[in-house]
Amino acid sequence: MLARIATAFRSSPAVTTSSRRAFGISSPSVTTVTTKHIISSNQRTFGLQTSRYMSSETTIEETSTSSDTQQTGYPFAQIETKWQKYWKDNNTFATPNRRQTLDDGTVIKSTNKKKYVLDMFPYPSGAGLHVGHPEGYTASDVMSRYWRMTSHDVLHPIGWDSFGLPAEQFAINTGTHPETTTAKNIANFKRQLQMLGFSYDWEKEVATTDVNYVKWTQWIFLQLFKKGLASQSSVSVNWCPALGTVLANEEVINGLSERGDHPVERLPLRQWVLKITEYADRLEAGLDGLDWPSGTMTAQEQWIGKSTGTEIDFKIDGMDDEVRYILFMKGI
């Protein structure tokens, strides 16, 4: 994205020298830097790799040319490194403290509007980031930066959805404790995300495998259990004997597990279920007034799955039993 901006500014005759300096774009008289299109561990050119995943290897070559030639590309090696270091050293993207107490005891509260920009936490696999990660994160990061520049207090955290079947299977296959491999993968993902220059508040970083995080998920479950919202029931599931676990429907393709192509059986299994249906009315009512795309609204309504209907009993000549029909009429 920055490379495209730089190219546009370079090619535009209307761009002034001061504008070029503001964007870190040199004038034709400035010494140029040419870079090989090779992945670097702390700098990167985008869109040139055939691999789906970002590499952890590093190679970059810089050569100076004569001062009378125009720069051939966006000087990412200088600009990205400089500003990413500045953001880190100055904690530029820290979430503002909306309540401050001065030395004299005076309390100052922020009058800015609040914005909470939450990305889907990535699962830190050993393969590293793939193109889908920065594709989605770039859009939310653009909005985060926009709201900061329009006097909003922005909370833009990042974390790791680090529980997962791949980590479990890798541990089984290699005899390596999943805590070790997960920590290594997280470190690599964090390095890669920081290379991309996203404006996360890294002080809010969290991993779902952290002990201090897990204790709260357990606490939440206990509250649900006390309220009668968690119970055990026999439910038909996708059981994979080879993986030794239950799979979601989207993890089963033509009767085989997506991971490993192992046979999957449909079996009843006693397990914990949460009675989210207790909140169907409240969830559906909460959709009113939301400015969401119609497709998203429909998906939410179908996920909630609330239907209103009636039961009708019919007596049939020659039969002792009544025949019961249940009619569901949405919105009645």
Side-chain angles (χ1 to χ4, degrees):
M1 179 178 67
L2 290 177
R4 290 197 297 271
I5 294 175
T7 301
F9 266 69
R10 249 194 337 270
S11 61
S12 174
V15 176
T16 63
T17 301
S18 60
S19 297
R20 294 178 185 275
R21 292 198 192 101
F23 276 80
I25 303 169
S26 59
S27 299
S29 60
V30 178
T31 299
T32 65
V33 175
T34 59
T35 60
K36 284 188 175 181
H37 292 165
I38 301 176
I39 295 300
S40 168
S41 64
N42 57 0
Q43 300 99 7
R44 164 171 299 278
T45 54
F46 294 94
L48 301 173
Q49 286 295 103
T50 56
S51 172
R52 174 177 171 82
Y53 296 95
M54 293 174 65
S55 170
S56 59
E57 298 301 320
T58 174
T59 308
I60 185 166
E61 179 178 304
E62 298 179 4
T63 58
S64 296
T65 60
S66 61
S67 60
D68 59 350
T69 58
Q70 186 174 1
Q71 181 172 302
T72 59
Y74 169 59
F76 67 92
Q78 290 77 29
I79 293 180
E80 298 292 339
T81 302
K82 171 186 175 180
W83 287 109
Q84 289 176 23
K85 182 179 185 303
Y86 177 89
W87 297 335
K88 181 179 180 180
D89 293 344
N90 293 273
N91 204 13
T92 302
F93 305 118
T95 307
N97 185 355
R98 292 179 56 81
R99 181 185 176 93
Q100 301 184 47
T101 303
L102 303 181
D103 294 338
D104 61 1
T106 303
V107 176
I108 300 178
K109 297 182 180 180
S110 173
T111 58
N112 293 339
K113 294 182 179 180
K114 296 182 289 185
K115 283 292 181 182
Y116 180 28
V117 185
L118 179 62
D119 285 325
M120 180 177 67
F121 289 176
Y123 168 72
S125 68
L129 292 176
H130 60 73
V131 69
H133 289 115
E135 180 182 19
Y137 297 157
T138 297
S140 56
D141 200 69
V142 167
M143 295 309 302
S144 297
R145 291 171 181 270
Y146 166 77
W147 279 317
R148 289 191 189 96
M149 296 174 70
T150 53
S151 299
H152 289 76
D153 291 337
V154 177
L155 168 59
H156 189 30
I158 190 61
W160 318 104
D161 185 13
S162 42
F163 270 121
L165 180 61
E168 180 181 336
Q169 289 302 307
F170 185 82
I172 294 173
N173 295 337
T174 64
T176 306
H177 196 288
E179 182 179 8
T180 302
T181 54
T182 299
K184 180 180 179 181
N185 293 342
I186 287 176
N188 185 43
F189 264 56
K190 182 174 181 177
R191 177 188 64 82
Q192 292 176 322
L193 283 179
Q194 289 177 331
M195 284 169 51
L196 292 168
F198 293 131
S199 61
Y200 293 125
D201 180 357
W202 287 103
E203 291 184 343
K204 302 294 189 293
E205 179 185 3
V206 64
T208 57
T209 46
D210 290 344
V211 173
N212 288 333
Y213 183 93
V214 173
K215 75 175 184 180
W216 289 113
T217 62
Q218 293 175 329
W219 180 86
I220 291 172
F221 177 83
L222 290 175
Q223 309 315 306
L224 295 172
F225 179 77
K226 292 175 183 177
K227 291 288 186 179
L229 298 173
S231 61
Q232 287 192 339
S233 178
S234 181
V235 179
S236 183
V237 298
N238 300 311
W239 171 256
C240 180
L243 297 178
T245 188
V246 172
L247 300 178
N249 290 336
E250 57 268 23
E251 296 175 302
V252 181
I253 301 175
N254 297 325
L256 301 176
S257 63
E258 182 182 28
R259 184 176 180 84
D261 290 329
H262 302 297
V264 176
E265 307 172 21
R266 192 73 174 169
L267 297 174
L269 181 68
R270 189 167 181 81
Q271 58 185 299
W272 288 101
V273 295
L274 301 179
K275 298 179 181 178
I276 60 173
T277 52
E278 296 290 325
Y279 295 90
D281 290 331
R282 182 175 174 182
L283 287 169
E284 190 171 47
L287 297 175
D288 292 341
L290 292 180
D291 185 18
W292 287 1
S294 59
T296 303
M297 295 288 283
T298 299
Q300 287 293 309
E301 291 174 351
Q302 292 177 347
W303 176 81
I304 295 170
K306 182 181 182 299
S307 297
T308 304
T310 186
E311 296 180 357
I312 305 175
D313 295 333
F314 292 95
K315 291 183 177 180
I316 300 177
D317 291 341
M319 296 181 62
D320 295 333
D321 298 330
E322 295 179 340
V323 177
R324 172 166 294 181
Y325 289 90
I326 301 176
L327 304 179
F328 290 99
M329 295 165 283
K330 182 68 175 176
I332 300 300

